[in-house]
Amino acid sequence: MRWILVLAQVLDVLAQWITRDSEALRSPGFCPCSKTDLCRPVSADLQHQLEVVVFDEGEMDYQHYDWPKITAIVFSDNSKEQILCIAHENKVRVILQGKITMKVLRNGNSQEQWLKRTLNVVKVLNMDGIYLEMSGAVVPGGPEYKALSRLIKKITVLLHSEVPGSQVIMNVPWFPDCPHGRCYDFVTIAKSCDFLFVMSFNVQDQMWDECFAKANAPYDQIFTGLADYIGLGIDSRKLLMGIPWFGYDYPCMKLLEPGRCRIQKSSHGSAPCSSLIATPILYKDIVRLLPVSITGRYWDDDDKSPYFVYKVNNTYHEVWYDDPESISLRSSITVKLKLGGVGVLNGNNLNYSVNPIATMQTEEMWNALSPVRRKRRIWNI
């Protein structure tokens, strides 16, 4: 069976957490790369001063990534098989996406099956670890609260033992005060796994004050959110700051002036307004739209974010996004707070065409991830 078919089947199993016997998985050993060495996990001796984790959503853009700047790439279920080969050729870890469901947390047998299957999938596909998201709210004091922490510890110990050099990354909200019921034992989980991926964006999914279009990742708020994690006693080097290569297109109920786009009320949780009424827009589409806007690029000094206004069908739209200037400012937070690195959503969001303007814009976005980390080998003597 071709490797890509195995990939699709195995990832489908992983996504649904089907509890069938492990014989359903193909044993490790099959290699789709031209050199078998490229199917071996990246050596545990390869460590980084600063992690740059890039999420990939499939297609062929990965061929044009700035690989020397990447330390790990998070695989989606529709990524091409060759991404493993090019990643390992560049000494970049390949991390598999996975989910933890409430069913798994509530049932001891399901947890053991989950652990077994997760390990098998990582080994079968020659991966270097797993990126985990929790599906469902977790309440402090509830049985799932402690079960989640125990499960993260078990999978980390298991993977580190069976796949030396592997990484376990756990997705967490942009601040630790239980947004949307996501109340995890952040301190315990951080001690167990390799990194917490802090989603330092989508800050406006709950707006508590005025209902106006706002920055996706306002500087002060994401700085405070990360500092709050550190304030809990979490080692700052365990934190990866999320970097959004996308923005939000808000339709204005009324445009008072640029930067004052009143939006429709749409409650989310107990908040009266939300960015959910906006349309997500990729950076490569943002730079195509900006030249035909009616305002050109504006800059918000408070949130340290750019925005612009355009009009279509008699409706004004205000687009808030991040570009090389705002991302460079956010990347500097890694130095100020001594973070472990950054995580980029998504590598596919840039324009990798041969157009010289697009090439320059894309290069600037990759360079904005500086301070650039350098790969280095640490040898145990």
Side-chain angles (χ1 to χ4, degrees):
M1 182 179 293
R2 287 174 59 90
W3 191 89
I4 190 62
L5 296 179
V6 175
L7 172 63
Q9 292 174 351
V10 171
L11 285 172
D12 181 63
V13 169
L14 181 62
Q16 300 180 38
W17 303 108
I18 298 174
T19 57
R20 292 185 295 180
D21 189 85
S22 62
E23 291 180 359
L25 293 177
R26 187 172 183 166
S27 61
F30 181 79
C31 181
C33 305
S34 59
K35 300 178 181 178
T36 55
D37 286 351
L38 298 180
C39 287
R40 295 175 183 170
V42 173
S43 172
D45 294 324
L46 186 62
Q47 299 183 20
H48 311 290
Q49 296 174 338
L50 185 70
E51 295 282 338
V52 177
V53 179
V54 175
F55 289 72
D56 180 82
E57 291 296 316
E59 302 181 358
M60 305 298 288
D61 289 331
Y62 69 87
Q63 298 179 64
H64 309 290
Y65 289 172
D66 194 341
W67 285 100
K69 289 189 173 68
I70 305 173
T71 65
I73 190 157
V74 179
F75 226 56
S76 69
D77 59 3
N78 61 342
S79 294
K80 300 296 183 182
E81 62 185 57
Q82 294 89 350
I83 199 170
L84 172 77
C85 310
I86 192 172
H88 280 179
E89 186 175 14
N90 285 276
K91 306 301 181 186
V92 172
R93 290 183 169 89
V94 179
I95 310 294
L96 187 67
Q97 288 183 336
K99 287 187 180 295
I100 302 174
T101 65
M102 299 300 285
K103 178 181 177 181
V104 169
L105 293 184
R106 290 169 178 167
N107 186 289
N109 290 333
S110 294
Q111 290 177 29
E112 292 305 314
Q113 293 165 349
W114 183 91
L115 289 165
K116 185 177 181 180
R117 295 203 64 80
T118 300
L119 174 63
N120 284 347
V121 169
V122 170
K123 294 179 72 173
V124 163
L125 299 181
N126 306 296
M127 298 289 175
D128 303 276
I130 191 163
Y131 167 84
L132 295 171
E133 294 181 89
M134 181 63 217
S135 177
V138 174
V139 180
E144 297 87 4
Y145 185 76
K146 292 184 178 180
L148 177 61
S149 300
R150 289 195 297 267
L151 190 63
I152 296 298
K153 183 175 182 178
K154 287 180 179 179
I155 189 58
T156 304
V157 171
L158 192 59
L159 278 179
H160 284 179
S161 174
E162 295 287 333
V163 186
S166 60
Q167 294 180 346
V168 176
I169 304 173
M170 181 66 186
N171 172 291
V172 297
W174 70 269
F175 70 111
D177 294 342
C178 298
H180 312 303
R182 299 180 66 190
C183 301
Y184 313 152
D185 186 348
F186 299 110
V187 175
T188 299
I189 291 174
K191 289 178 180 178
S192 299
C193 68
D194 296 281
F195 298 104
L196 299 183
F197 173 70
V198 183
M199 298 180 64
S200 300
F201 46 82
N202 294 343
V203 171
Q204 312 299 352
D205 63 349
Q206 288 187 305
M207 297 182 185
W208 299 97
D209 47 13
E210 296 180 302
C211 294
F212 285 93
K214 297 178 183 177
N216 181 23
Y219 182 92
D220 288 343
Q221 286 175 266
I222 63 173
F223 187 100
T224 299
L226 290 160
D228 285 348
Y229 276 106
I230 298 171
L232 295 176
I234 294 174
D235 185 344
S236 63
R237 294 169 296 180
K238 289 284 190 106
L239 302 178
L240 303 177
M241 176 181 61
I243 297 287
W245 280 356
F246 64 91
Y248 281 101
D249 181 337
Y250 291 87
C252 304
M253 293 283 291
K254 184 177 182 180
L255 181 67
L256 304 180
E257 61 180 339
R260 296 285 289 174
C261 164
R262 189 183 301 279
I263 61 174
Q264 178 183 350
K265 287 190 175 183
S266 177
S267 60
H268 184 45
S270 54
C273 297
S274 171
S275 60
L276 294 178
I277 64 102
T279 301
I281 180 170
L282 308 184
Y283 185 74
K284 59 186 174 184
D285 297 322
I286 290 170
V287 293
R288 293 191 189 108
L289 189 58
L290 178 57
V292 297
S293 68
I294 62 176
T295 61
R297 179 183 182 273
Y298 271 66
W299 177 261
D300 185 277
D301 285 327
D302 292 329
D303 290 338
K304 297 179 175 58
S305 296
Y307 64 95
F308 63 86
V309 176
Y310 73 96
K311 187 177 183 181
V312 60
N313 296 331
N314 296 319
T315 299
Y316 288 103
H317 291 248
E318 193 164 83
V319 178
W320 286 81
Y321 62 105
D322 284 282
D323 64 5
E325 181 178 1
S326 65
I327 290 173
S328 293
L329 289 170
R330 282 149 184 75
S331 294
S332 69
I333 294 175
T334 61
V335 176
K336 294 177 181 178
L337 295 180
K338 299 180 181 179
L339 304 181
V342 298
V344 181
L345 272 78
N346 290 300
N348 312 83
N349 291 4
L350 305 183
N351 185 342
Y352 296 99
S353 71
V354 296
N355 180 286
I357 296 178
T359 298
M360 180 185 65
Q361 293 168 337
T362 294
E363 182 179 355
E364 289 175 345
M365 289 291 277
W366 281 104
N367 289 339
L369 300 177
S370 299
V372 178
R373 68 89 184 89
R374 300 191 183 277
K375 297 178 182 178
R376 57 191 176 96
R377 290 191 179 276
I378 297 180
W379 299 98
N380 295 321
I381 300 176

